[in-house]
Amino acid sequence: MAGTNSELELLAEGPAIILVEPQLGENIGMVARAMANFGLAELRLVNPRDGWPSEKARAAASKADHVIDATKVFETLEEAVKDLNFVYATTARARYGFKPVRAPGIAAETLRAKFKTGDRTGILFGRERWGLTNEEVALADEIVTFPVNPAFASLNIAQAVLLMSYEWMKSGMDDLEETLFQPVEQRPSTKEQVFGLFEHIEEALDARGYFHPLPKKPRMIDNLRAVLSRRGFSEQEISVFRGVINTLDRFPRRWPKQVGKVETAEGISAEGTGENAENE
């Protein structure tokens, strides 16, 4: 999905993402992209196999350059987490009975609460092939486990980071709604504007022979107005409708606009000039 907008304020906060001995630069880049998607910015690498920096990682990051440029590299996991107050270790299954195991949503809420109190937090992700060792998990405070298919539990590292990054963003939605999701204020329409919409639509339809047969025209108009008045339109919505009708007016009509009226034998008002007159 496209959606990068350099004019908006960049969200860059939250727990550090720590990758233990990542192998491919492409995977690191996709991790950076997932982090940027959901407002995380601090990426730490422990002994990356192919070294750092990595042009392959930058290319795969799809312009998440602020994450790539700020990435820190450590020789050991102990060095990577020593300044943090609270750390989660991620696993595909709950193997460690001596530590609390949390679902991603609960873990994200815990991280959010600690973030608000000023604690520095992190999330550990293991190697692409076999994850974290028991000794590495022992350095964490708690474990977060993803609810995956037991028969196919392996997650790509970027997918795992994406899941936790999404949960992190979701845990702060109440705060974000105050700034990002405020509805656009729309003024309610007046009855005069609604009546103008009725007349505009009816004239456009009439010019194209919609009201046929003519004896049914009054009932058809009543039905049309009933549909259009089932809810209160805003001024902007009425403007949209009338813009659509103006566009339709660019195409040929069955009868010219603003033609006179004549009485038919049945006493029903009908168009009295143009094509209809020629056919009478």
Side-chain angles (χ1 to χ4, degrees):
M1 294 175 62
T4 301
N5 189 337
S6 59
E7 297 181 357
L8 297 178
E9 181 181 357
L10 189 67
L11 296 176
E13 59 184 21
I17 299 297
I18 306 159
L19 307 185
V20 179
E21 296 185 355
Q23 298 177 0
L24 300 176
E26 292 89 341
N27 283 343
I28 299 172
M30 288 188 287
V31 164
R33 179 179 184 178
M35 293 170 60
N37 285 150
F38 297 102
L40 298 178
E42 187 176 356
L43 177 59
R44 301 183 180 189
L45 307 179
V46 178
N47 192 25
R49 185 191 68 180
D50 296 337
W52 193 261
S54 168
E55 289 305 314
K56 290 182 178 179
R58 185 177 296 277
S62 297
K63 299 184 179 180
D65 293 333
H66 64 290
V67 178
I68 295 295
D69 293 338
T71 298
K72 298 178 180 178
V73 179
F74 302 85
E75 291 186 2
T76 67
L77 179 56
E78 288 83 352
E79 292 177 352
V81 301
K82 67 181 182 181
D83 64 324
L84 302 179
N85 304 112
F86 186 89
V87 176
Y88 270 109
T90 60
T91 67
R93 58 189 185 279
R95 298 176 294 173
Y96 309 94
F98 51 87
K99 288 186 182 293
V101 179
R102 311 297 186 192
I106 298 299
E109 291 176 2
T110 300
L111 292 169
R112 178 70 63 175
K114 293 183 177 297
F115 169 76
K116 289 182 176 180
T117 60
D119 286 356
R120 293 179 59 80
T121 61
I123 311 173
L124 304 182
F125 295 85
R127 302 153 188 84
E128 288 94 328
R129 290 188 178 181
W130 43 279
L132 297 166
T133 66
N134 288 350
E135 292 77 11
E136 290 162 347
V137 173
L139 299 178
D141 297 277
E142 296 184 359
I143 294 170
V144 57
T145 298
F146 303 112
V148 294
N149 182 352
F152 199 80
S154 177
L155 283 176
N156 175 278
I157 189 171
Q159 294 173 326
V161 171
L162 181 71
L163 288 174
M164 280 307 303
S165 300
Y166 167 73
E167 291 293 347
W168 163 259
M169 174 70 86
K170 191 170 68 171
S171 71
M173 287 301 291
D174 290 342
D175 296 332
L176 287 171
E177 285 176 354
E178 296 180 2
T179 55
L180 298 182
F181 300 106
Q182 290 299 319
V184 177
E185 182 178 355
Q186 295 191 348
R187 297 182 300 275
S189 61
T190 65
K191 290 300 182 185
E192 181 180 12
Q193 291 169 327
V194 175
F195 297 155
L197 174 63
F198 289 164
E199 294 172 359
H200 197 168
I201 291 178
E202 289 159 15
E203 192 280 329
L205 292 174
D206 206 6
R208 291 163 178 82
Y210 174 79
F211 300 111
H212 180 78
L214 285 178
K216 293 186 177 180
K217 179 178 177 180
R219 180 61 181 273
M220 295 173 74
I221 289 178
D222 288 343
N223 290 341
L224 181 63
R225 292 192 176 195
V227 170
L228 293 175
S229 61
R230 294 179 78 176
R231 60 175 298 266
F233 288 110
S234 68
E235 290 184 358
Q236 292 90 335
E237 289 168 333
I238 284 185
S239 178
V240 169
F241 267 113
R242 300 196 71 162
V244 170
I245 300 168
N246 284 334
T247 300
L248 295 176
D249 278 344
R250 299 173 188 171
F251 294 89
R253 294 158 168 262
R254 184 174 177 182
W255 294 295
K257 202 171 184 179
Q258 300 297 335
V259 294
K261 303 286 186 176
V262 298
E263 291 295 323
T264 67
E266 294 79 11
I268 304 297
S269 180
E271 305 294 351
T273 62
E275 178 183 333
N276 190 49
E278 295 176 357
N279 293 333
E280 288 180 348

